[in-house]
Amino acid sequence: MRDSRRLFNLKFQPLAETRPNWQINPQMNKKVSDPLRPFSSILFDGDERAAARAMLYPVGFTAEDFKKPLIGVASTWSDVTPCNMHIDKLAREAEGGANKAGGKAIIFNTITISDGISMGTEGMKYSLVSREVIADSIETVVGCAGMDGFVAIGGCDKNMPGSMIAIARMNRASVFVYGGTILPGCITGDTRKLDVVSVFEAIGAHANQKITDAEFQAVEQCAIPGPGSCGGMYTANTMASAIEALGMSLPNSSAQNAVSPAKLDDCRRASACVINMLKTGLRPRDILTKKAFENAITVVIALGGSTNAVLHLLAIAHAAKVKLSIDDFTRVGKRVPVLADLKPSGKHLMSELIAIGGIRPLMKTLLDAGLLHGDVLTVTGETMAESLAGVKPYPAYQTIIRPLDQPIKKDSHLVILRGNLAVEGAVAKITGKEGLKFTGRARVFNSEELAMTAILDGTIVKGDVIVIRYEGPRGGPGMREMLSPTSAIMGKGLGKDVALITDGRFSGGSHGFVVGHITPEAYVGGTIALIKNGDAITIDAEKRQLNLEVPAAELKKRKLAWKAPKPRYTRGVLAKYASHVTSASLGAVTDADLKL
């Protein structure tokens, strides 16, 4: 590992050298005299701002603190989920790091929800909605409080992209910190390393009488041993890796256990890095370029990451004013192999990858092979190539990351499909272990719950294509994840015998022959709304096609007879979300009609 002190010998100078000794505050259109305090000086300086200063003495400010850069620490702490239960301690470390580096930190909270707890219920409809609430709340506090920069600490699926959307929107000196991965669960006398997906798959196994009541109970009680995000290459670890590949977190932030000295140090150094970004003039949109997003896509593919990365990277790019489309995933994916043997489709957990060096040796391999852009900037001020220069390769004995010439799959497992069932695109997660083509008869369900019942009671049989519709961003609303059905399919032993398609989405823990993000969604009259039981459906990963084998004349007839359903919610946050959200093919963003 390189000397961490180098992180603060920042090389990014051009912006700082070309800027005058004053700047225009873009929100207030005022000149500020201190470039290290472009926002807080407006809030605090001068006799007329005495009331603002008075409000902060009770929370620990001194007179000298008002002369320092104001650094926010956006904490996603909550006892709602083990993913975030430790983040209050991490926030305190980040606060100390900012204060020691010459700033004045303020900790504030945003919400978090738990996909693992709400999965398979109506509550899961709030999951993707929470990404927007988190982004909006961070923007609101940072903007209102005049923070000059901030650290955002996220530990679960939606508060990670939510934090990054806020970082991209605000474009103030900022660094993202991943809360870290959970350690594996274990049962006495059992060699398996358990995680949350083990529980979901045990539900199907128990329903199929493959495990006893006692075995089922043991998995339930032992799978989640403490703090941290889900342990496989599911959405949390996928997005942490993607954010590091974007250059927006410190080296190794994505590959540290939640409870570890390394994670505490990561928080302290991240805050100090924000201060240095203020000194050099480096800002998130200097880092978040098209090349940076291509790097993130490359790393996600090599790791066999979650389909949710497509949705979230599109949304972050939108906030950063970078033109990214689902077709970029196809373009990049044609040349990038899947190298990581990680859960859910593989054998290993993130904690095992951490033990052999995390993702940085993989990134160095990709860089050396010409698959990563080395000239992009990172929050340290170094280029990606400079940041990776001293990284050592994985130990020779390891089996988690394959060599480039021995991939698990020679190209991307994230396959963008088009066809008459997905005119605007769909996202499949196909590692090759499930096969590359599937044709079967449709079994249609207008909600996840109805499909789940059919899977568990034996209605679903070999050769079926399960269709779960009216679960899209607008139709759900909220685009629920289908971890419960996909895990039940695996638990029932049908993983290679049935397929599942949906206008909803999948958890990073889902695996099997699955296709999500089908657009246009059923709620707006997409072809998925016209499928009938028994229709033939073909999924072809090689041709990148998803087709309903029904004549065009028949589809036209069905479309004329189709009636749009009434909204499921007419008030509250779900109704508000449904009225603003765009297609999944655009990242399901809620501000697309605004001129950015």
Side-chain angles (χ1 to χ4, degrees):
M1 186 179 295
R2 306 177 72 195
D3 188 340
S4 63
R5 290 172 296 182
R6 285 198 62 197
L7 292 175
F8 306 123
N9 183 22
L10 301 188
K11 296 184 177 182
F12 185 81
Q13 294 298 331
L15 282 178
E17 291 174 351
T18 57
R19 286 176 179 170
N21 61 6
W22 56 267
Q23 297 174 320
I24 296 292
N25 182 303
Q27 289 187 338
M28 302 180 182
N29 198 30
K30 291 183 178 180
K31 291 182 180 181
V32 294
S33 58
D34 186 350
L36 297 185
R37 301 174 55 240
F39 298 93
S40 63
S41 61
I42 302 296
L43 211 65
F44 296 147
D45 293 0
D47 290 350
E48 71 276 13
R49 302 306 304 160
R53 296 191 296 273
M55 290 287 287
L56 290 171
Y57 283 109
V59 300
F61 274 62
T62 67
E64 288 300 310
D65 288 334
F66 295 109
K67 301 175 185 177
K68 301 173 183 177
L70 184 63
I71 306 300
V73 179
S75 168
T76 57
W77 169 80
S78 173
D79 279 342
V80 167
T81 168
C83 308
N84 296 68
M85 61 187 285
H86 63 301
I87 287 180
D88 56 336
K89 297 180 179 65
L90 300 186
R92 294 296 176 192
E93 295 294 330
E95 177 189 35
N99 292 341
K100 187 175 181 180
K104 175 56 181 175
I106 293 181
I107 298 173
F108 66 95
N109 263 82
T110 182
I111 66 162
T112 192
I113 55 88
S114 173
D115 292 356
I117 296 171
S118 63
M119 196 75 68
T121 72
E122 196 76 0
M124 186 63 192
K125 293 182 177 181
Y126 291 90
S127 172
L128 190 56
V129 176
S130 77
R131 185 188 75 180
E132 309 306 301
V133 175
I134 290 161
D136 291 351
S137 64
I138 293 175
E139 177 187 349
T140 299
V141 175
V142 170
C144 177
M147 293 174 176
D148 301 305
F150 63 101
V151 173
I153 310 174
C156 199
D157 294 12
K158 306 312 167 301
N159 50 57
M160 300 169 71
S163 295
M164 279 303 305
I165 290 169
I167 285 171
R169 283 183 191 168
M170 299 301 285
N171 199 33
R172 302 187 187 187
S174 46
V175 175
F176 177 80
V177 173
Y178 178 39
T181 192
I182 196 170
L183 294 173
C186 60
I187 300 171
T188 303
D190 191 328
T191 59
R192 289 178 298 166
K193 294 182 177 180
L194 303 176
D195 62 4
V196 67
V197 176
S198 305
V199 186
F200 281 99
E201 294 186 357
I203 294 170
H206 186 250
N208 209 28
Q209 299 182 337
K210 290 185 175 181
I211 59 174
T212 65
D213 291 350
E215 290 170 327
F216 186 35
Q217 184 72 9
V219 172
E220 176 185 324
Q221 291 182 338
C222 299
I224 315 291
S229 298
C230 300
M233 191 47 64
Y234 311 144
T235 301
N237 283 316
T238 296
M239 289 310 302
S241 302
I243 292 167
E244 183 169 333
L246 282 170
M248 284 306 305
S249 59
L250 294 182
N252 282 320
S253 183
S254 68
Q256 295 163 339
N257 292 318
V259 180
S260 66
K263 184 48 64 183
L264 298 176
D265 188 50
D266 185 34
C267 295
R268 292 189 289 265
R269 292 188 297 119
S271 293
C273 188
V274 172
I275 301 290
N276 279 280
M277 290 176 74
L278 284 167
K279 292 177 180 178
T280 62
L282 180 61
R283 297 293 181 266
R285 289 188 206 160
D286 299 321
I287 299 166
L288 294 171
T289 63
K290 183 66 173 284
K291 284 184 176 181
F293 281 96
E294 290 176 352
N295 282 354
I297 294 169
T298 296
V299 169
V300 167
I301 292 169
L303 289 169
S306 167
T307 54
N308 279 319
V310 179
L311 197 72
H312 297 324
L313 287 173
L314 289 172
I316 296 166
H318 172 76
K321 302 183 180 180
V322 172
K323 292 183 179 179
L324 190 73
S325 76
I326 57 173
D327 294 324
D328 288 310
F329 287 82
T330 298
R331 177 176 55 81
V332 174
K334 288 179 179 179
R335 60 189 180 89
V336 180
V338 178
L339 300 176
D341 187 20
L342 293 164
K343 286 189 174 186
S345 55
K347 297 190 293 288
H348 298 283
L349 291 168
M350 189 67 183
S351 56
E352 296 173 87
L353 181 59
I354 291 169
I356 63 166
I359 72 166
R360 292 184 69 72
L362 170 63
M363 291 174 66
K364 181 66 161 58
T365 298
L366 295 169
L367 176 70
D368 291 345
L371 296 174
L372 278 188
H373 300 290
D375 58 343
V376 296
L377 288 166
T378 70
V379 289
T380 68
E382 295 179 308
T383 65
M384 184 62 73
E386 289 170 336
S387 176
L388 294 171
V391 173
K392 296 179 180 180
Y394 291 117
Y397 63 82
Q398 69 88 23
T399 59
I400 302 172
I401 304 294
R402 298 272 191 91
L404 273 171
D405 60 354
Q406 299 174 38
I408 292 170
K409 189 171 183 283
K410 63 182 177 61
D411 55 8
S412 181
H413 66 299
L414 299 176
V415 183
I416 306 302
L417 304 176
R418 295 186 187 271
N420 70 349
L421 246 178
V423 176
E424 296 175 8
V427 182
K429 185 178 185 180
I430 299 174
T431 64
K433 295 179 180 180
E434 311 85 358
L436 297 173
K437 186 175 180 179
F438 193 100
T439 297
R441 57 190 173 274
R443 292 278 192 158
V444 183
F445 304 94
N446 288 344
S447 74
E448 179 186 359
E449 288 87 349
L450 292 172
M452 188 67 177
T453 298
I455 294 166
L456 292 177
D457 69 14
T459 300
I460 300 301
V461 296
K462 182 177 180 179
D464 285 345
V465 177
I466 303 165
V467 179
I468 304 179
R469 63 190 181 190
Y470 295 105
E471 292 286 5
R474 292 185 63 189
M479 206 179 179
R480 286 193 287 185
E481 292 180 345
M482 302 297 150
L483 180 57
S484 294
T486 58
S487 297
I489 289 167
M490 288 295 174
K492 292 281 257 182
L494 292 170
K496 295 183 179 180
D497 299 321
V498 303
L500 190 155
I501 69 171
T502 180
D503 53 5
R505 59 196 174 94
F506 294 107
S507 163
S510 291
H511 58 122
F513 220 114
V514 297
V515 182
H517 306 208
I518 291 176
T519 54
E521 62 175 288
Y523 186 80
V524 299
T527 306
I528 189 173
L530 310 179
I531 303 172
K532 293 184 177 180
N533 283 322
D535 286 347
I537 294 173
T538 297
I539 306 163
D540 192 327
E542 291 185 311
K543 294 183 179 178
R544 297 186 175 87
Q545 291 184 350
L546 176 63
N547 287 306
L548 178 62
E549 308 295 343
V550 172
E554 171 63 17
L555 287 179
K556 185 176 181 180
K557 180 180 177 182
R558 292 183 188 182
K559 184 63 181 283
L560 290 172
W562 177 80
K563 293 182 179 180
K566 293 181 180 180
R568 287 174 168 166
Y569 291 83
T570 57
R571 301 186 70 180
V573 68
L574 291 178
K576 187 187 301 183
Y577 179 84
S579 69
H580 286 79
V581 69
T582 63
S583 166
S585 63
L586 299 175
V589 298
T590 55
D591 58 358
D593 292 332
L594 303 178
K595 291 183 179 180
L596 301 179

